[in-house]
Amino acid sequence: MTIRTVLNEATAQLDAVSESARLDAQLLLGALLGRNRAALLAHPDEPVALEVTRRFRALVARRAAGEPVAYILGRAAFYGREFLVDRRVLIPRPETELLVERAIERLRPLPAPRIADIGTGSGAIAVTLAAELPHVEVIATDVSTGALAVAAENARRHSVAGRVSLRQGVWLEPLEAPVDLIAANLPYVATDEAAMLPRDVHDFEPHVALFAGQEGLESIRTLLDQIVEAQRTRPVLQPGGTILLEIGYAHGKKLAALARERFPGGTVTVTQDLAGLDRLVEIQGAGSG
């Protein structure tokens, strides 16, 4: 069989389960052959060895059963880098790059900023910020030891392990000193929306990193309440510090109101993603009261 024929066969098999069946097939075959998509397209009539065809069909069967391509390959792209992923962590999404871009804007002018990435998961946010900003120190926390193991591997992979401190604990618990910025991509899917999720998300990605109560606001509300409480006793944010939160598309108004109530001295803004959906809540001056 040729590259064209095995891709056609796989695409037909995946059409019923994936909106990107052709791309999925190309990524899986490319991984086995050690080639990118352009190389596959350039040589459609090249024969594929029987053993490679067998292994490819096994991968396609996993995708047909709903398993995400990123878990099958063990990696996902984020902000121009490749991150190791498995079922212990969420797969990084392009939408989260908006949070990273805003964090870079806020941190770049500071001389030696410290940031906290709460609920780091794969470490995509923490590692990316450390790689993009060599003068930044990052504290990355997560309650899951499995997630922290994945994040540690990604920090080593991108040569920033010396500036990314991985700490196990709940919410703000592992923070020992104030930081200039708190970033968090916490669960924000409402439990009532579980049936609306794509199969590859609902059945394979960790529910603890997806769901946040009936409204989808529980995790972010808890974090903001803990920041307010901590500021009274052992500050976790420097004066003028910033909080960046990735949010669900329907949560912008509610979370903006909640943030203004809890941080009356701060400036709250909601930013939309490329699809025009609310995606980021920023609280500037949150450390001021």
Side-chain angles (χ1 to χ4, degrees), residues 136-192:
V136 164
E137 177 190 350
V138 184
I139 299 96
T141 77
D142 206 292
V143 69
S144 165
T145 55
L148 289 173
V150 176
E153 185 58 36
N154 281 318
R156 288 191 291 269
R157 183 184 183 90
H158 294 292
S159 304
V160 295
R163 289 187 295 110
V164 176
S165 175
L166 296 164
R167 302 179 187 178
Q168 184 184 14
V170 179
W171 308 110
L172 307 172
E173 188 179 81
L175 299 187
E176 299 170 349
V179 297
D180 297 285
L181 184 145
I182 292 176
N185 180 13
L186 299 177
Y188 54 71
V189 179
T191 51
D192 291 348

Side-chain angles (χ1 to χ4, degrees), residues 248-265:
Y249 69 92
H251 296 156
K253 289 184 179 179
K254 287 185 179 180
L255 287 176
L258 186 152
R260 292 186 179 104
E261 176 185 314
R262 283 156 175 74
F263 301 96

Side-chain angles (χ1 to χ4, degrees), residues 185-231:
N185 180 13
L186 299 177
Y188 54 71
V189 179
T191 51
D192 291 348
E193 297 175 333
M196 298 168 56
L197 290 176
R199 179 185 176 191
D200 53 0
V201 176
H202 183 277
D203 291 357
F204 288 88
E205 299 199 59
H207 285 196
V208 68
L210 287 171
F211 297 109
Q214 192 168 3
E215 294 180 281
L217 302 174
E218 186 176 297
S219 296
I220 294 176
R221 183 186 289 118
T222 298
L223 176 64
L224 293 182
D225 286 345
Q226 290 195 0
I227 293 173
V228 170
E229 183 60 31
Q231 290 298 98

Side-chain angles (χ1 to χ4, degrees), residues 77-79 91-99 101 246 273-274:
F78 182 79
Y79 213 84
I91 299 165
R93 265 65 170 184
E95 294 84 357
T96 305
E97 295 185 1
L98 178 62
L99 184 152
E101 290 170 358
E246 181 169 324
D273 59 23
L274 293 176

Side-chain angles (χ1 to χ4, degrees), residues 9-279:
E9 175 189 272
T11 301
Q13 184 176 350
L14 296 178
D15 265 335
V17 296
S18 173
E19 295 180 355
S20 57
R22 189 71 175 183
L23 174 61
D24 294 351
Q26 290 169 340
L27 291 173
L28 295 173
L29 183 59
L32 289 176
L33 295 177
R35 301 184 189 180
N36 58 29
R37 292 175 62 209
L40 295 180
L41 294 173
H43 304 282
D45 296 318
E46 181 178 319
V48 180
L50 288 176
E51 176 60 19
V52 174
T53 300
R54 184 191 65 78
R55 292 166 58 199
F56 176 60
R57 286 172 173 165
L59 297 185
V60 171
R62 290 170 61 183
R63 181 69 186 112
E67 187 173 356
V69 170
Y71 287 160
I72 296 172
L73 298 181
R75 60 182 186 269
F78 182 79
Y79 213 84
R81 294 179 177 83
E82 190 175 87
F83 286 82
L84 303 179
V85 294
D86 59 32
R87 293 185 65 172
R88 293 174 290 180
V89 298
L90 283 183
I91 299 165
R93 265 65 170 184
E95 294 84 357
T96 305
E97 295 185 1
L98 178 62
L99 184 152
V100 169
E101 290 170 358
R102 188 60 52 84
I104 290 172
E105 290 176 12
R106 300 298 175 224
L107 296 169
R108 197 184 298 279
L110 303 181
R114 299 177 72 248
I115 76 164
D117 175 25
I118 306 299
T120 195
S122 67
I125 293 173
V127 170
T128 299
L129 290 175
E132 292 290 322
L133 300 169
H135 68 307
V136 164
E137 177 190 350
V138 184
I139 299 96
T141 77
D142 206 292
V143 69
S144 165
T145 55
L148 289 173
V150 176
E153 185 58 36
N154 281 318
R156 288 191 291 269
R157 183 184 183 90
H158 294 292
S159 304
V160 295
R163 289 187 295 110
V164 176
S165 175
L166 296 164
R167 302 179 187 178
Q168 184 184 14
V170 179
W171 308 110
L172 307 172
E173 188 179 81
L175 299 187
E176 299 170 349
V179 297
D180 297 285
L181 184 145
I182 292 176
N185 180 13
L186 299 177
Y188 54 71
V189 179
T191 51
D192 291 348
E193 297 175 333
M196 298 168 56
L197 290 176
R199 179 185 176 191
D200 53 0
V201 176
H202 183 277
D203 291 357
F204 288 88
E205 299 199 59
H207 285 196
V208 68
L210 287 171
F211 297 109
Q214 192 168 3
E215 294 180 281
L217 302 174
E218 186 176 297
S219 296
I220 294 176
R221 183 186 289 118
T222 298
L223 176 64
L224 293 182
D225 286 345
Q226 290 195 0
I227 293 173
V228 170
E229 183 60 31
Q231 290 298 98
R232 299 190 183 112
T233 55
R234 58 171 194 96
V236 292
L237 268 175
Q238 296 283 9
T242 299
I243 302 170
L244 293 175
L245 306 166
E246 181 169 324
I247 65 171
Y249 69 92
H251 296 156
K253 289 184 179 179
K254 287 185 179 180
L255 287 176
L258 186 152
R260 292 186 179 104
E261 176 185 314
R262 283 156 175 74
F263 301 96
T267 300
V268 178
T269 57
V270 179
T271 303
Q272 288 74 41
D273 59 23
L274 293 176
L277 303 174
D278 289 347
R279 189 58 61 192

